[in-house]
Amino acid sequence: MPNKDVVSWTSLVTGYARNNHHEEALKLFCDMRLAGIHPDHVVLASALSACAELTVLELGQQVHADFVKSGLQSSISVDNSLVTMYAKCGCIDDASRVFDSMQIRDAVTWTALIVGYARNGKGKDSVRFYDQMIASGTKPDYITFIGLLFACSHAGLLERGRLYFASMEKEYGIKPGPEHYACMIDLLGRSGKLVEAEMLLNEMDVEPDATVWKALLAACRVQGNLELGERAAKNLFELESKNAVPYIMLSNMYSAAGKWEDAARIRRTMKWKGISKEPGCSWIEVNSRVHTFMSEDRGHSRTTEIYSKIDEIMVLIKEAGYEADISFALHNMDKEGKELGLAYHSEKLAVAFGLLSLPRGAPVRIFKNLRVCGDCHTAMKYISRVFHRHIILRDSNCFHHFKGGPCSCGDYW
């Protein structure tokens, strides 16, 4: 096309964003701005949605500033995208500020905030906003209840969760899907109600998918129910034959029960099937550049400084009372080797780099592709207290906000 206007650019940016090509969508948005094309509401909403999915906060803030400077009137599509973007990037207070400034709110607005608070370890706030949503006359939708039940699960609100789950179809005509059942099974499992969780699974109106079986397997691991855990794992082996997680979880359950031969058998099966665990990695954005780390990573240009900072961190937090939990380390090393291995986990390397690179007092935002290990979770509490930093760590499950020691998840993640 020799001449491209805002509609042309918007069509392409939105198309990429809606087809989960978020990085390409943002590159096109930047090209559009370099070409001197002023954005409209539609392309701004799409760009913000892409920022939310990629959790690129700095670029999202730039798009927000672009919108403010454009002189465009506020629109519900842009505002909803802003609430979602800030919530998914761990800036729940900024998401709430946008929400408070909105003159018009719909179900998407309320749901974005309810889900955002749930994912940021503030389940009771999710419940509070849900009550306000109902009081405002806005009807919840399918996604609202996923966020609400997730919030109940991670805040230990068993009776509230039961009430909301029962109200879905009875009051709002929303048939529960696999995601809702998974949240309820997770809630029941965390509360020690495995028998009730199994009964709910057997009564499902839809076929249990991998999400449901994963929730049950995780609950079995927490409660030490090996028999039911085996059933859940076997179903996952059929549904996701190449996913390493159920194999590893079952193997760990066998080990915890002292069934070493069964644990070894599961590991051999993984090897025979060519199934390998996804390597853990953590990343942090500094000055619009993403820095990625893996455990014991020495490929960064500032490796010497990072490892020196790690040594300083470990000395200071041990003085404050931290003790390494070597149960999360490799088993074929001595105690000292295990402690060193734990010190060089990817999230600890990322936080060390953040402390070196970010201005004094600035929050340290880290992202991890897997669930944060218990030792790193404990270490982050001490680091936030000793260095007087707000550390935001998002793992595969939720955000963890460490401020002055405690975590927003209440050690319930």
Side-chain angles (χ1 to χ4, degrees):
M1 295 174 65
N3 299 305
K4 305 177 184 74
D5 60 10
V6 67
V7 178
S8 315
W9 284 101
T10 297
S11 299
L12 204 56
V13 171
T14 303
Y16 271 105
R18 289 182 179 175
N19 284 279
N20 296 319
H21 294 284
H22 305 294
E23 190 171 340
E24 290 85 347
L26 291 176
K27 286 177 180 176
L28 282 165
F29 178 79
C30 293
D31 289 343
M32 181 190 85
R33 298 300 288 121
L34 288 170
I37 304 295
H38 296 288
D40 61 12
H41 291 105
V42 180
V43 75
L44 284 166
S46 294
L48 288 166
S49 296
C51 290
E53 294 303 318
L54 295 175
T55 60
V56 282
L57 176 61
E58 289 185 26
L59 184 55
Q61 290 170 324
Q62 290 173 28
V63 176
H64 187 183
D66 210 14
F67 171 59
V68 173
K69 289 187 290 184
S70 70
L72 292 169
Q73 293 296 311
S74 181
S75 77
I76 195 165
S77 62
V78 173
D79 287 342
N80 284 345
S81 296
L82 280 168
V83 172
T84 302
M85 187 273 292
Y86 280 120
K88 285 192 173 184
C89 290
C91 301
I92 194 63
D93 290 338
D94 290 322
S96 186
R97 275 191 282 271
V98 175
F99 177 88
D100 290 340
S101 72
M102 294 173 67
Q103 301 299 313
I104 301 173
R105 302 174 184 132
D106 60 10
V108 175
T109 317
W110 288 99
T111 297
L113 204 64
I114 289 167
V115 173
Y117 271 105
R119 292 285 180 187
N120 280 272
K122 298 185 177 183
K124 291 180 181 177
D125 287 310
S126 292
V127 168
R128 178 168 58 85
F129 278 106
Y130 175 75
D131 291 341
Q132 291 180 23
M133 176 184 184
I134 300 304
S136 75
T138 307
K139 288 187 177 182
D141 60 18
Y142 188 95
I143 305 297
T144 307
F145 280 104
I146 294 176
L148 190 61
L149 292 173
F150 180 92
C152 291
S153 173
H154 287 258
L157 303 174
L158 178 59
E159 294 306 320
R160 280 269 195 167
R162 285 171 171 159
L163 181 68
Y164 294 140
F165 186 75
S167 72
M168 285 181 61
E169 197 160 14
K170 185 178 178 181
E171 295 183 30
Y172 301 104
I174 300 171
K175 193 176 180 65
E179 302 95 337
H180 304 104
Y181 281 105
C183 287
M184 277 306 297
I185 287 169
D186 187 57
L187 171 57
L188 292 166
R190 287 172 181 268
S191 304
K193 308 287 186 183
L194 269 182
V195 173
E196 188 179 341
E198 187 177 13
M199 286 174 58
L200 180 63
L201 185 144
N202 293 332
E203 294 168 1
M204 284 178 61
D205 293 331
V206 295
E207 188 71 22
D209 66 3
T211 310
V212 175
W213 289 113
K214 283 175 187 174
L216 184 63
L217 179 58
C220 291
R221 182 189 62 180
V222 172
Q223 302 299 333
N225 189 320
L226 187 54
E227 183 180 349
L228 187 55
E230 287 175 327
R231 180 187 165 201
K234 286 173 182 175
N235 279 279
L236 283 167
F237 296 160
E238 293 179 8
L239 290 168
E240 296 183 344
S241 60
K242 293 296 183 182
N243 187 347
V245 173
Y247 289 93
I248 292 166
M249 288 177 69
L250 184 59
S251 173
N252 291 341
M253 288 177 70
Y254 280 135
S255 297
K259 296 192 172 186
W260 308 111
E261 290 185 8
D262 288 321
R265 174 174 54 81
I266 294 295
R267 298 283 180 170
R268 286 196 301 270
T269 301
M270 286 181 66
K271 187 175 181 179
W272 176 68
K273 290 185 175 181
I275 300 168
S276 57
K277 180 183 175 182
E278 180 184 2
C281 69
S282 301
W283 60 97
I284 180 171
E285 186 179 0
V286 176
N287 295 327
S288 300
R289 183 184 170 196
V290 175
H291 301 260
T292 304
F293 300 90
M294 299 182 77
S295 289
E296 302 187 32
D297 195 341
R298 295 184 181 272
H300 197 277
S301 60
R302 297 179 67 182
T303 290
T304 303
E305 293 174 81
I306 292 168
Y307 274 79
S308 177
K309 190 68 176 178
I310 284 283
D311 293 339
E312 176 195 343
I313 289 170
M314 299 314 293
V315 168
L316 291 174
I317 65 174
K318 282 179 180 178
E319 288 176 355
Y322 162 78
E323 291 183 12
D325 187 344
I326 59 175
S327 66
F328 291 97
L330 296 172
H331 296 289
N332 58 347
M333 304 170 72
D334 59 22
K335 185 175 184 292
E336 185 179 352
K338 289 178 180 180
E339 289 190 7
L340 278 175
L342 289 171
Y344 303 143
H345 275 192
S346 64
E347 51 267 64
K348 291 193 183 86
L349 295 176
V351 80
F353 178 72
L355 292 173
L356 285 169
S357 307
L358 294 167
R360 184 181 296 273
V364 181
R365 301 178 187 278
I366 304 162
F367 299 87
K368 184 171 183 178
N369 62 332
L370 304 177
R371 187 177 184 270
V372 61
C373 85
D375 178 74
C376 285
H377 191 268
T378 300
M380 293 298 169
K381 292 181 185 179
Y382 283 96
I383 296 169
S384 73
R385 191 173 81 199
V386 169
F387 288 88
H388 306 288
R389 289 293 186 108
H390 179 193
I391 299 174
I392 303 110
L393 170 59
R394 193 209 72 182
D395 66 5
S396 60
N397 202 30
C398 64
F399 276 96
H400 302 266
H401 291 259
F402 302 91
K403 274 188 176 180
C407 178
S408 59
C409 75
D411 298 340
Y412 197 60
W413 84 100

